[in-house]
């Protein structure tokens, strides 16, 4: 049902309600349609008044829908009125109502009230990322940077991951601003990108560049560039950090992964200790390998092709350099079927070592163990991001090492027609880095919400003259 274009009298609402197939949900459906059509607020208000007069009060869910329409249209005084009504009638509100109230008020001249509401939310639940970000943007917009950064740090402390949108806002709202403390905070955001291997998109990168260039008396200049394969920046001739871990870093990481991830709590959920022991013995007899392949994962790379053919292409391509390969497979691959042809499997087993795990096993732990046991040179092939394992590592320094090791050792792959094209792991570390008077920031052309291990080839070089 289409919402009316102007407010209706009680009898007109009643007539509409009776003509509707399910009168018991008429108001709810009507409010949903008003939000969809962005109906004038006085039309929605006339329905609300009609409901209040007919029923003696208005149900919580209808108030929330009316509130959503007010927020959509930036009707600040109405948002305040609805909040006053809700506060009197309901002891506590649920997160949906708080989200709307905070969003609506933070976009208005009443933005400080959004901060008060955020404090109220904290007493009953952990505020959502959206709650924090609405308040951060409001504070930044009104140049209350201390408040904005305080909320940002609070958010991180609660393990809420900020969107790139709010991180970009910090750079946009601080353009041309003075202050060492402020600079330190913004450098901190760049180090947060480094720590979490986040690549800004083009518009965010431009905000960073403009902010640097606007620092009073800073003499910073930014240039867009591509880094040479050797790891040298063509703009400032600076050599980027090596993607290789030192011997000590590598040994630390290996010990931590074996302790926290492989023998930690999550490994044996989908594999038995006996199977993992058999795998360790298998590796001890045959290592070191040059490349470890997640067979099942690679076998799905081209959906229209047989799984064994996908894997065969990969093994053939990687075996060319006389590399010693270990393929992690599953026992069902040994059963002759349309996807797993026995003769193709036999041919592959001449070119690589295979370990076949139970069909229910989780093979990430196997992949990590075999790669790390083989030494610093060993690479691995999988389309997985290994995110869960990073989360098992308790401190940020080890997580950073894990990501650095992953960037330098995970071979990503693209399929063009039937050719298996390897993207070699880079010699330099593709992550935000600084020497103090230079910053190098890798960026992507488009926005990507999901984490990706595909490293960008475009960089922003910023140097202080």
């Amino acid at each position: 049902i289409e919402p009316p274009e102007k407010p209706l009298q009680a009898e007109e609402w009643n007539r509409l309600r009776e003509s509707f197939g399910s009168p018991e949900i008429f108001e709810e459906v009507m409010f949903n349609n008003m939000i969809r059509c962005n109906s004038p607020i006085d039309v929605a208000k006339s329905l609300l008044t009609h409901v209040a007069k007919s029923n003696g009060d208005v149900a919580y869910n209808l108030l929330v829908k009316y509130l959503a329409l007010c927020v959509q249209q930036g009707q600040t005084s109405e948002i305040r009125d609805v909040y006053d009504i809700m506060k009197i009638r309901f002891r506590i509100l649920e997160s949906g109502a708080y989200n709307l109230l905070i969003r609506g008020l933070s976009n208005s001249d009443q933005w400080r009230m959004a901060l008060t509401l955020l404090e109220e939310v904290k007493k009953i639940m952990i505020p959502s990322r959206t709650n924090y970000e609405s308040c951060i943007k409001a504070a930044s917009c009104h140049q209350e940077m201390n408040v904005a950064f305080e909320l940002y740090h609070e958010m991180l402390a609660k393990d809420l991951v900020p969107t790139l949108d709010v991180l970009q806002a910090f750079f946009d709202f601080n353009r041309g601003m003075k202050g060492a403390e402020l600079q330190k905070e913004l450098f901190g955001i760049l180090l947060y990108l480094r720590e979490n291997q986040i690549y800004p998109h083009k518009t965010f990168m431009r905000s960073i560049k403009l902010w640097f260039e606007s620092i009073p008396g800073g003499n910073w200049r930014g240039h867009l560039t591509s880094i040479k394969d050797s790891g040298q920046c063509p703009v400032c001739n600076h050599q980027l950090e090596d993607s290789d871990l030192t011997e000590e870093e590598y040994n630390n990481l290996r010990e931590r992964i074996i302790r926290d991830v492989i023998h930690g709590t999550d490994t044996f959920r989908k594999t038995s200790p006996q199977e993992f022991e058999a795998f360790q013995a298998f590796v001890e007899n045959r290592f070191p390998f040059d490349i470890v392949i997640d067979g099942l994962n690679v076998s799905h790379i081209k959906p229209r092709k047989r799984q064994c053919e996908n894997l065969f292409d990969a093994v053939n391509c990687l075996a060319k350099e006389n590399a010693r390969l270990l393929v992690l497979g599953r026992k069902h691959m040994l059963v002759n079927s349309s996807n797993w042809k026995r003769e193709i499997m036999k041919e592959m087993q001449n070119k690589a070592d295979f370990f076949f795990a139970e069909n229910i096993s989780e093979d990430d732990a196997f992949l990590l163990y075999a790669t790390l046991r083989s030494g610093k040179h060993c690479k691995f092939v999988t389309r997985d991001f290994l995110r869960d394992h990073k989360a098992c590592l308790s401190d940020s320094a080890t997580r950073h090492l894990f990501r650095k090791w992953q960037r330098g050792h995970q071979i990503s792959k693209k399929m063009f027609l039937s050719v298996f094209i390897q993207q070699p792991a880079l010699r330099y570390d593709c992550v935000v880095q600084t020497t103090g008077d230079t910053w190098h920031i890798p960026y992507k052309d488009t926005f990507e919400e999901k984490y990706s291990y595909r490293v960008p080839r475009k960089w922003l070089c910023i140097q202080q003259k």
Side-chain angles (χ1 to χ4, degrees), residues 151-373:
L151 292 172
Y152 165 69
H153 290 300
E154 207 174 281
M155 210 181 144
L156 294 184
K158 290 187 162 72
D159 281 334
L160 294 169
V161 177
T163 58
L164 294 189
D165 191 36
V166 82
L167 296 181
Q168 184 182 335
F170 278 117
F171 289 90
D172 288 338
F173 286 119
N174 284 296
R175 217 169 279 168
M177 304 295 275
K178 266 198 171 103
E181 201 47 49
L182 189 69
Q183 270 185 49
K184 197 174 142 200
E185 287 284 11
L186 287 156
F187 288 160
I189 291 177
L190 294 175
L191 295 173
Y192 172 81
L193 298 181
R194 171 189 171 87
E195 181 69 39
N196 294 283
Q197 196 186 332
I198 296 167
Y199 303 122
H201 47 78
K202 203 183 260 174
T203 49
F204 183 7
M205 175 277 295
R206 285 208 185 104
S207 295
I208 295 170
K209 179 178 182 289
L210 289 170
W211 172 73
F212 266 103
E213 292 175 342
S214 77
I215 297 172
N219 294 327
W220 291 95
R221 279 289 157 269
H223 297 274
L224 308 189
T225 186
S226 297
I227 303 296
K228 297 174 184 169
D229 285 343
S230 64
Q232 192 182 39
C233 169
V235 178
C236 64
N237 295 325
H238 177 72
Q239 187 69 31
L240 293 194
E241 290 172 34
D242 200 325
S243 64
D244 259 359
L245 272 58
T246 65
E247 210 61 52
E248 189 185 350
E249 285 175 331
Y250 179 76
N251 291 334
N252 281 344
L253 179 68
R254 186 169 70 180
E255 278 167 32
R256 286 297 300 276
I257 287 183
I258 287 173
R259 191 184 79 202
D260 294 359
V261 178
I262 293 169
H263 294 311
T265 50
D266 72 334
T267 309
F268 299 124
R269 230 178 279 159
K270 292 184 183 160
T271 181
S272 67
Q274 294 79 0
E275 182 180 45
F276 198 74
E277 274 168 30
F279 175 67
Q280 283 176 299
F282 173 91
V283 171
E284 290 307 312
N285 286 331
R286 290 172 174 79
F287 86 106
F289 300 103
D290 298 314
I291 300 173
V292 181
I293 302 168
D294 181 343
L296 198 59
N297 188 293
V298 170
S299 74
H300 287 98
I301 198 161
K302 283 184 84 180
R304 292 209 181 92
K305 232 175 166 179
R306 278 196 189 122
Q307 289 176 23
C308 62
E309 286 171 358
N310 279 329
L311 186 54
F312 187 67
D313 289 348
V315 167
N316 259 352
C317 169
L318 295 168
K320 273 182 192 150
E321 311 291 313
N322 289 327
R324 290 210 53 217
L325 310 182
L326 167 61
V327 180
L328 299 172
R330 298 290 169 84
K331 287 194 171 158
H332 71 260
M333 295 176 177
L334 293 168
V335 179
N336 200 27
S337 65
S338 60
N339 255 324
W340 297 102
K341 293 288 175 204
R342 188 163 285 149
E343 60 277 13
I344 295 180
M345 289 302 292
K346 277 217 170 96
E347 201 175 329
M348 274 195 276
Q349 283 169 280
N350 292 332
K351 298 185 176 192
D353 279 302
F354 271 73
F355 181 85
F356 296 98
E358 291 295 339
N359 295 327
I360 52 158
S361 296
E362 183 63 82
D363 49 16
D364 282 358
F366 291 74
L367 182 86
L368 286 173
Y369 181 83
T371 310
L372 287 162
R373 186 70 188 91

Side-chain angles (χ1 to χ4, degrees), residues 349-453:
Q349 283 169 280
N350 292 332
K351 298 185 176 192
D353 279 302
F354 271 73
F355 181 85
F356 296 98
E358 291 295 339
N359 295 327
I360 52 158
S361 296
E362 183 63 82
D363 49 16
D364 282 358
F366 291 74
L367 182 86
L368 286 173
Y369 181 83
T371 310
L372 287 162
R373 186 70 188 91
S374 293
K376 262 172 77 173
H377 73 288
C378 186
K379 306 268 193 285
F380 63 93
V381 183
T382 179
R383 292 182 300 162
D384 279 352
F385 300 144
L386 309 179
R387 255 195 303 255
D388 298 348
H389 303 301
K390 179 188 152 225
C392 294
L393 298 164
S394 50
D395 64 288
S396 63
T398 313
R399 282 200 292 270
H400 176 71
L401 281 184
F402 179 71
R403 277 279 174 251
K404 185 172 177 178
W405 174 76
Q406 185 180 1
R407 286 191 294 273
H409 291 77
Q410 184 159 2
I411 299 172
S412 55
K413 54 220 166 314
K414 294 176 179 173
M415 294 292 281
F416 298 115
L417 303 168
S418 62
V419 189
F420 189 95
I421 294 180
Q422 262 177 269
Q423 268 191 324
L426 296 170
R427 283 177 55 186
Y428 56 89
D429 198 8
C430 196
V431 67
V432 172
Q433 38 193 282
T434 180
T435 59
D437 57 358
T438 68
W439 282 85
H440 287 89
I441 299 165
Y443 68 93
K444 296 206 160 182
D445 276 331
T446 51
F447 167 72
E448 280 178 21
E449 177 66 72
K450 280 202 174 101
Y451 172 78
S452 167
Y453 62 75

